[in-house]
Amino acid sequence: MHKTLFRPLASGLLSVFLAFGATSASAQAPVKLRFSHTVPESDSQHKAALEFSKRVKERTQGAVEIQVFANSQLGNDVTLVTGVRSGTIDIGATGNPFVTGLAPKLNVLDLPYQFADAQQAYRTLDGAVGRGLLDELGAHQIKGLAFWEIGFRSLANNKRPINGADDIKGLKIRTTPNPSHLKAFQLLGANPQPMPFAEVFGALESGAVDGQENPPTLMLSSKMYEVQKYLSLTRHAYTPLVVIMNKARFEALKPEFQKVILEEAATAAGFQRKLNAEGEKDALVQLRAKGMKINETPDIDSIRKIVKDGTRKLYVEKNGDAVLKAMDALQP
């Protein structure tokens, strides 16, 4: 009699124990997030993404794990933004122009010669103006985490040295889809060709475009020296790298984890910017060693006079001048 009673009792206890164990294991399973970007692993963007992942894991004691996918493994810039919006990608980093189709006010950050130097850019990006611009993405299922950087863009091409504005006329230049970039090169008499970064090397190699404009550090990491001959340090626009997350995924996290992710995204911005500052001089040395002819002192004034007022006017017509005034007020 006792044996008969014991069997169902033991069986029931075992079921309870197993169910409890499964629930406990499930509760302790880490949150796993996928982080996508579009540049090579040798670039500062990837190093910053790895540092961000490491710090988040440490601060959450392993409760949040971020796996980083480099070099467009999960798709190009356009696919990345779509993936973050839909939730097929949790976190992404892409150039500011690839989110401005959703939130046009962010175009202000890419206006030609808007920032004289990096410190001016950081005052805008890291303060209330930057946070307000990131929050513009909220209506599109995106949580803006932070601004990292692509940096100051300079012009490279295969046709001729760029010494001033006249040398840009007639060139087919790959640009971002940012309206101010397109307008600027049109004003200069060039033929701008917007395309995702993943397609640029092939377009240069095939001759579909003559040139492109990016920071020297990114030209080095992406081996643009193999398909470009001339580089001119025009530094004509600063481009932030926008780190974005699927909004629903972010809001589903515990508040303490949300806080960690926001704080570490901001910390990683400083980490990456330092890498870029340290890397630019070395990048120029290496690009020269690999055969590129570099003009470090082009006639920037001749370019600025043509593009600055026209692109600002275009922005104001479409978005008003409130953000521009707030940004200008931050400058010394």
Side-chain angles (χ1 to χ4, degrees):
M1 181 69 178
H2 292 294
K3 289 181 180 179
T4 305
L5 286 171
F6 176 74
R7 284 178 186 146
L9 179 61
S11 176
L13 287 172
L14 180 61
S15 298
V16 170
F17 176 77
L18 290 174
F20 175 80
T23 303
S24 178
S26 175
Q28 294 175 3
V31 175
K32 296 189 176 183
L33 304 173
R34 300 200 305 168
F35 185 132
S36 173
H37 67 77
T38 63
V39 301
E41 292 182 359
S42 57
D43 194 80
S44 64
Q45 294 182 31
H46 183 68
K47 295 172 184 177
L50 292 179
E51 180 70 9
F52 171 62
S53 172
K54 175 187 170 185
R55 294 272 300 168
V56 168
K57 186 174 182 179
E58 287 175 352
R59 286 191 59 191
T60 62
Q61 299 181 328
V64 179
E65 294 182 359
I66 300 173
Q67 184 178 6
V68 180
F69 295 85
N71 211 19
S72 301
Q73 290 179 63
L74 302 185
N76 64 27
D77 295 282
V78 175
T79 304
L80 184 156
V81 175
T82 302
V84 171
R85 292 186 71 192
S86 67
T88 58
I89 296 172
D90 301 302
I91 304 173
T94 186
N96 187 63
F98 290 96
V99 298
T100 55
L102 300 174
K105 286 184 180 179
L106 273 80
N107 278 311
V108 71
L109 301 173
D110 296 299
L111 289 173
Y113 298 106
Q114 175 63 29
F115 301 114
D117 55 38
Q119 294 307 314
Q120 281 194 2
Y122 302 158
R123 279 194 291 274
T124 291
L125 300 176
D126 298 341
V129 173
R131 184 70 255 170
L133 289 171
L134 285 173
D135 289 345
E136 290 280 320
L137 296 166
H140 305 281
Q141 298 81 52
I142 292 174
K143 174 67 178 179
L145 299 183
F147 287 112
W148 296 0
E149 73 177 2
I150 290 176
F152 281 97
R153 312 180 79 89
S154 285
L155 183 58
N157 81 103
N158 290 319
K159 295 291 186 181
R160 53 182 173 264
I162 302 297
N163 298 309
D166 287 345
D167 299 315
I168 301 172
K169 291 178 180 177
L171 292 176
K172 292 181 291 183
I173 302 294
R174 177 270 174 177
T175 70
T176 71
N178 187 297
S180 64
H181 287 184
L182 296 171
K183 181 69 172 178
F185 282 101
Q186 288 166 354
L187 290 170
L188 289 163
N191 182 9
Q193 304 285 322
M195 67 179 68
F197 182 78
E199 300 173 17
V200 177
F201 190 97
L204 292 165
E205 190 172 37
S206 69
V209 294
D210 300 317
Q212 48 82 37
E213 32 93 58
N214 273 298
T217 49
L218 186 52
M219 292 187 199
L220 178 65
S221 66
S222 55
K223 299 184 178 181
M224 294 292 183
Y225 52 82
E226 294 182 357
V227 288
Q228 296 278 261
K229 185 175 181 180
Y230 303 103
L231 167 60
S232 186
L233 300 187
T234 52
R235 295 174 66 85
H236 51 271
Y238 177 88
T239 299
L241 183 76
V242 190
V243 183
I244 56 179
M245 185 170 180
N246 177 264
K247 187 178 179 183
R249 189 75 159 132
F250 178 84
E251 292 177 347
L253 295 174
K254 294 179 180 179
E256 58 266 34
F257 293 167
Q258 295 178 9
K259 183 173 183 288
V260 167
I261 283 177
L262 286 171
E263 288 177 352
E264 292 306 327
T267 299
F271 174 87
Q272 192 230 0
R273 291 167 183 173
K274 184 178 179 183
L275 288 179
N276 285 344
E278 294 170 349
E280 182 158 322
K281 288 183 180 179
D282 181 60
L284 293 175
V285 170
Q286 291 195 54
L287 290 171
R288 273 199 180 93
K290 293 179 183 300
M292 290 192 78
K293 299 182 182 301
I294 302 175
N295 181 359
E296 294 194 35
T297 57
D299 181 5
I300 287 175
D301 285 342
S302 68
I303 302 171
R304 184 190 290 113
K305 286 176 183 176
I306 292 172
V307 303
K308 186 169 182 177
D309 289 345
T311 53
R312 284 172 70 98
K313 180 181 178 183
L314 177 66
Y315 178 85
V316 171
E317 286 173 353
K318 292 185 175 182
N319 304 289
D321 63 357
V323 178
L324 259 176
K325 285 182 176 178
M327 289 170 64
D328 290 343
L330 294 173
Q331 309 313 331

